[in-house]
Amino acid sequence: MTATPRPPIWDVAIVGLGPAGRALAHRATALGSAVVSVDPLPRRSWTATYAAWEDELPGWLPRDAIATRTDRPAAWTTRHHTIDRTYCVLNTSRLQSILGDHCGTVIAGRAVDLSPTSVRLDDGSTLNAHVVVDARGTGDSPDLAQQTAYGVVVDPGTAAHALGGEAAVFMDWRRDNGTSPTDTPSFLYGVPLARDRFLLEETCLVGRPPLPISELATRLHDRLRARGVAVPSHADVERVRFAVEPPPEAGRSHSSDQVRFGARAGLMHPGTGYSVAASLLYADALARDLRDGSNARLWPWKARTVAALRSVGLRVLLDLGPEHVPEFFDHFFDLPPRLQAAYLSERSNLRGTLSAMGRMFLASSGDIRGVIFRSTLHREVR
């Protein structure tokens, strides 16, 4: 926290200091903007696990922000796949430290009203700025599709047994977790957090409503028990629950009104729940636009079109019958790596996104094609 005199009007005021807000404050300050940020608990430590594909990360991020790298992680659907990309788990505490350095003035407070140029706080004070950025995340609403997960942290030997010797497993949809083919599916995610720590996590990718965390805990222990793995009673636990869609009132900041950033602006991929890498990558672009007084160009038409296509993908995931989910991901991991990356990571690669979705449609069974068709039609008539 810094104690510098407050200017009568700030260049940028940022509301919300999760990874997206911190990244924008850090990059805008580096570009010379006078930045003030507001958060109810700005000193709270981040405890979530953040991960990304290495090619998604910006060049300005120091290498020690990455805790582990896994070349060509595995995936299990109806069969084994190898993903030809490098997967990284970020060092959460180091990332928070990096983004917390040189990030302007930080105020502990709760924003109760935002306009494009002012923030009113719960103590009655008002911050005025040339631009106010809403970076408060997606919030929590039962009306939004959510991802839930339950994980345990184990030693490398235990993880190797659970993962069949794989260095990391991005998704394992096999049903040795005590479920039947008609139950809502969940998958095992297994990644190294550090040299001596592995995360094994049972995940409901998206649901409306999602699977309860208690159900995922039962499934994880059933799965590990079936693989001959005993989890120590003192193991650290991770519980995850967040919306993968922005709230309806947030929308996307491609208009000239309220500027938004991070998951609040729709940077979260609705089909995976990943947003941190996109927020890190696009913080520079938004910071430059804010400094130069130009319109925020996070949502050119290609990015808006890709986002609409990804929303169709979310609808497909929500509407697929449980028995079809492993086959659906079979076809995804059969795509060439460049098309996997286009759909997962490249917000403005319209051609690649269309090609990936088109190939999956052609490879799918008639039942899955019907779901894709209905989901696309649903999107068009909304």
Side-chain angles (χ1 to χ4, degrees), residues 172-251:
D172 185 344
W173 290 100
R174 289 176 292 180
R175 288 188 178 272
D176 57 350
N177 58 356
T179 62
S180 73
T182 58
D183 290 327
T184 299
S186 58
F187 65 89
L188 177 67
Y189 170 77
V191 293
L193 303 178
R195 183 174 298 178
D196 59 345
R197 288 164 57 86
F198 259 79
L199 175 66
L200 301 176
E201 196 162 76
E202 192 78 17
T203 303
C204 170
L205 185 59
V206 289
R208 193 189 288 128
L211 286 172
I213 291 175
S214 59
E215 168 66 15
L216 292 169
T218 298
R219 291 186 182 193
L220 176 64
H221 287 287
D222 285 349
R223 186 191 296 273
L224 296 180
R225 192 178 304 111
R227 299 185 185 190
V229 173
V231 177
S233 59
H234 62 272
D236 290 339
V237 169
E238 178 172 88
R239 296 175 178 86
V240 176
R241 185 187 185 98
F242 60 85
V244 300
E245 302 172 287
E249 67 274 13

Side-chain angles (χ1 to χ4, degrees), residues 13-302:
I14 299 169
V15 181
L17 282 175
R22 285 278 186 192
L24 182 58
H26 177 74
R27 301 314 296 161
T29 300
L31 291 175
S33 297
V35 178
V36 63
S37 301
V38 179
D39 190 274
L41 297 169
R43 294 183 182 274
R44 72 191 186 282
S45 296
W46 298 346
T47 58
T49 299
Y50 301 126
W53 300 102
E54 188 171 38
D55 52 37
E56 296 175 325
L57 297 172
W60 58 262
L61 189 70
R63 305 304 289 172
D64 64 352
I66 298 174
T68 66
R69 293 177 177 82
T70 303
D71 295 328
R72 308 181 80 229
W76 275 96
T77 53
T78 63
R79 50 193 166 83
H80 181 270
H81 299 263
T82 299
I83 305 171
D84 196 16
R85 297 175 78 187
T86 298
Y87 191 71
C88 300
V89 175
L90 301 181
N91 183 326
T92 302
S93 61
R94 178 62 181 139
L95 177 67
Q96 185 172 16
S97 175
I98 292 166
L99 300 183
D101 287 341
H102 309 295
C103 63
T105 296
V106 176
I107 295 175
R110 187 178 300 278
V112 295
D113 187 57
L114 275 65
S115 80
T117 57
S118 67
V119 182
R120 183 163 58 87
L121 304 181
D122 57 357
D123 64 2
S125 63
T126 298
L127 299 171
N128 296 305
H130 294 296
V131 181
V132 171
V133 181
D134 187 353
R136 291 177 294 179
T138 59
D140 187 13
S141 170
D143 296 329
L144 300 176
Q146 296 185 350
Q147 182 173 124
T148 49
Y150 176 89
V152 294
V153 178
V154 300
D155 62 86
T158 301
H161 198 158
L163 302 179
E166 299 282 1
V169 173
F170 185 63
M171 286 180 169
D172 185 344
W173 290 100
R174 289 176 292 180
R175 288 188 178 272
D176 57 350
N177 58 356
T179 62
S180 73
T182 58
D183 290 327
T184 299
S186 58
F187 65 89
L188 177 67
Y189 170 77
V191 293
L193 303 178
R195 183 174 298 178
D196 59 345
R197 288 164 57 86
F198 259 79
L199 175 66
L200 301 176
E201 196 162 76
E202 192 78 17
T203 303
C204 170
L205 185 59
V206 289
R208 193 189 288 128
L211 286 172
I213 291 175
S214 59
E215 168 66 15
L216 292 169
T218 298
R219 291 186 182 193
L220 176 64
H221 287 287
D222 285 349
R223 186 191 296 273
L224 296 180
R225 192 178 304 111
R227 299 185 185 190
V229 173
V231 177
S233 59
H234 62 272
D236 290 339
V237 169
E238 178 172 88
R239 296 175 178 86
V240 176
R241 185 187 185 98
F242 60 85
V244 300
E245 302 172 287
E249 67 274 13
R252 298 192 178 91
S253 56
H254 57 265
S255 72
S256 59
D257 298 323
Q258 188 72 60
V259 177
R260 301 176 178 90
F261 190 59
R264 190 78 173 184
L267 286 186
M268 180 178 289
H269 196 302
T272 66
Y274 282 52
S275 68
V276 171
S279 296
L280 295 173
L281 186 61
Y282 288 97
D284 260 350
L286 180 55
R288 285 193 301 270
D289 280 350
L290 297 178
R291 180 197 61 186
D292 298 340
S294 56
N295 290 330
R297 290 187 290 269
L298 286 178
W299 292 102
W301 72 270
K302 284 186 177 180

Side-chain angles (χ1 to χ4, degrees), residues 289-342:
D289 280 350
L290 297 178
R291 180 197 61 186
D292 298 340
S294 56
N295 290 330
R297 290 187 290 269
L298 286 178
W299 292 102
W301 72 270
K302 284 186 177 180
R304 296 198 301 271
T305 306
V306 167
L309 291 170
R310 288 176 172 179
S311 294
V312 172
L314 172 62
R315 171 61 58 181
V316 171
L317 290 174
L318 290 170
D319 291 348
L320 275 176
E323 71 278 14
H324 296 309
V325 170
E327 179 197 339
F328 180 81
F329 281 97
D330 256 340
H331 302 319
F332 180 79
F333 291 119
D334 280 342
L335 291 173
R338 63 181 178 81
L339 293 185
Q340 292 182 33

